[in-house]
Amino acid sequence: MLLVPLLLAGCGTSSSGSPGRLRVVADFYPVQFLAQRVGGDRVSVADLTPPGTEPHELAVDAKGAGALADANVVFYLGAGFQPDVQKAVGELPRSVRRTDLLSVPGVNLLPAPSVLGREALAGGKDPHVWLDPLRMRAMAAAVAGAYERADPEHADGYRDNLARLQRDLDRLHSDLRADLTGCAQTSIVTSHAAFGYFARRYGLRQIPIAGLSPDAEPDAKTLATISRQARKAGVHTVYFEEALPPKLADTVAAEIGARVDLLAALEFDPTRALGAGQDYLTVMRGNGRRLHSGLECR
């Protein structure tokens, strides 16, 4: 059995404001990644989610409230993803430009699997849009539009940054599609029900063991059901998400004689665990390589 170290670090980094730059707030790592890549050196981005904090359970503290009060532009996921953040954003003055990236064209929310329970968005939708590179592409365009409206003098620079990022996301999509073509297996058993968008995009089927919360462990009957499904699907690898202990995946893996590997849900800043140079793009490619191996793709 192959055990992959957990990424135990928390989410996000923050930057203090710099003269002449837009002061930007993002609610957690994937949004921070988009805000920084599109903004480049014209922005100073603060991440609301402190290291070690579960993004879905974030409460805006005094530091976060101060960052929001000082912001020119705010990017966040709405629809109840982080209720405390959404409430704080709604109370900001009209002069602060704010963009709910779940509401932009091209995101198109999917129904949430039942195991998400209270972690599902308003209307029973799945929040994990950032694990689909093409939805990230659509959100990146909305980020660029907000920057252009807030700082029209530098609109060309934002558009250039957007074009570079979208090319990177297009290449990532192409690489993932190539990695996940001709697979002997198409079912992925995960300890985190985060991969619905990813699975839909690349022709896979997600079999989640539990919901989002690390303490929401399924009972013995549910574990037995998951094990039967995994065995029937011929699964040889069980994946655990980087923020959760591998205990749940280990249990199912032992039951069906499978190995365990990592599948990162990217709710946390990967540089804190993997070092400089790791970002959304490199970690998603790592996901693709591990799935290529675990699903026995050509």
Side-chain angles (χ1 to χ4, degrees), residues 19-57:
R21 296 184 181 185
L22 286 179
R23 297 181 301 278
V24 180
V25 170
D27 60 343
F28 77 131
Y29 172 72
V31 177
Q32 182 267 340
F33 170 78
L34 293 177
Q36 191 62 66
R37 278 293 308 265
V38 177
D41 60 8
R42 296 301 314 165
V43 303
S44 177
V45 183
D47 185 342
L48 279 182
T49 303
T53 300
E54 165 57 51
H56 300 274
E57 300 172 358

Side-chain angles (χ1 to χ4, degrees), residues 6-244:
L6 294 176
L7 304 182
L8 297 176
C11 175
T13 58
S14 63
S15 304
S16 59
S18 302
R21 296 184 181 185
L22 286 179
R23 297 181 301 278
V24 180
V25 170
D27 60 343
F28 77 131
Y29 172 72
V31 177
Q32 182 267 340
F33 170 78
L34 293 177
Q36 191 62 66
R37 278 293 308 265
V38 177
D41 60 8
R42 296 301 314 165
V43 303
S44 177
V45 183
D47 185 342
L48 279 182
T49 303
T53 300
E54 165 57 51
H56 300 274
E57 300 172 358
L58 177 65
V60 178
D61 58 13
K63 184 176 180 181
L68 285 168
D70 194 45
N72 304 119
V73 181
V74 176
F75 299 111
Y76 68 104
L77 301 189
F81 175 68
Q82 294 171 316
D84 206 44
V85 173
Q86 196 164 333
K87 180 176 182 293
V89 170
E91 294 171 351
L92 293 174
R94 296 181 64 182
S95 59
V96 180
R97 295 183 181 273
R98 77 292 300 270
T99 301
D100 173 3
L101 294 178
L102 291 183
S103 67
V104 302
V107 172
N108 302 325
L109 298 176
L110 297 176
S114 59
V115 293
L116 290 188
R118 64 181 179 83
E119 305 291 352
L121 297 174
K125 300 299 185 179
D126 187 341
H128 299 90
V129 295
W130 60 90
L131 291 172
D132 176 1
L134 298 189
R135 284 177 167 85
M136 282 286 276
R137 194 184 196 282
M139 291 190 288
V143 169
Y147 284 155
E148 290 177 38
R149 291 187 293 274
D151 182 21
E153 182 180 351
H154 299 99
D156 288 345
Y158 299 128
R159 283 193 288 266
D160 288 345
N161 292 344
L162 171 64
R164 282 190 288 271
L165 174 57
Q166 289 188 325
R167 285 195 295 271
D168 286 345
L169 291 169
D170 288 342
R171 283 193 291 269
L172 171 63
H173 169 60
S174 295
D175 290 345
L176 289 171
R177 188 169 54 188
D179 279 340
L180 299 172
T181 296
C183 301
Q185 309 296 331
T186 57
S187 297
I188 53 174
V189 177
T190 71
S191 60
H192 184 168
F195 299 93
Y197 290 94
F198 186 96
R200 175 72 67 89
R201 180 64 67 189
Y202 299 108
L204 305 175
R205 180 169 71 102
Q206 175 183 229
I207 303 176
I209 298 173
L212 300 177
S213 177
D215 58 3
E217 297 187 10
D219 57 24
K221 181 179 179 180
T222 301
L223 280 173
T225 299
I226 294 293
S227 295
R228 285 196 300 272
Q229 290 177 332
R231 189 182 292 109
K232 183 177 181 181
V235 167
H236 298 151
T237 303
V238 175
Y239 294 93
F240 64 89
E241 185 256 331
E242 76 273 30
L244 299 176

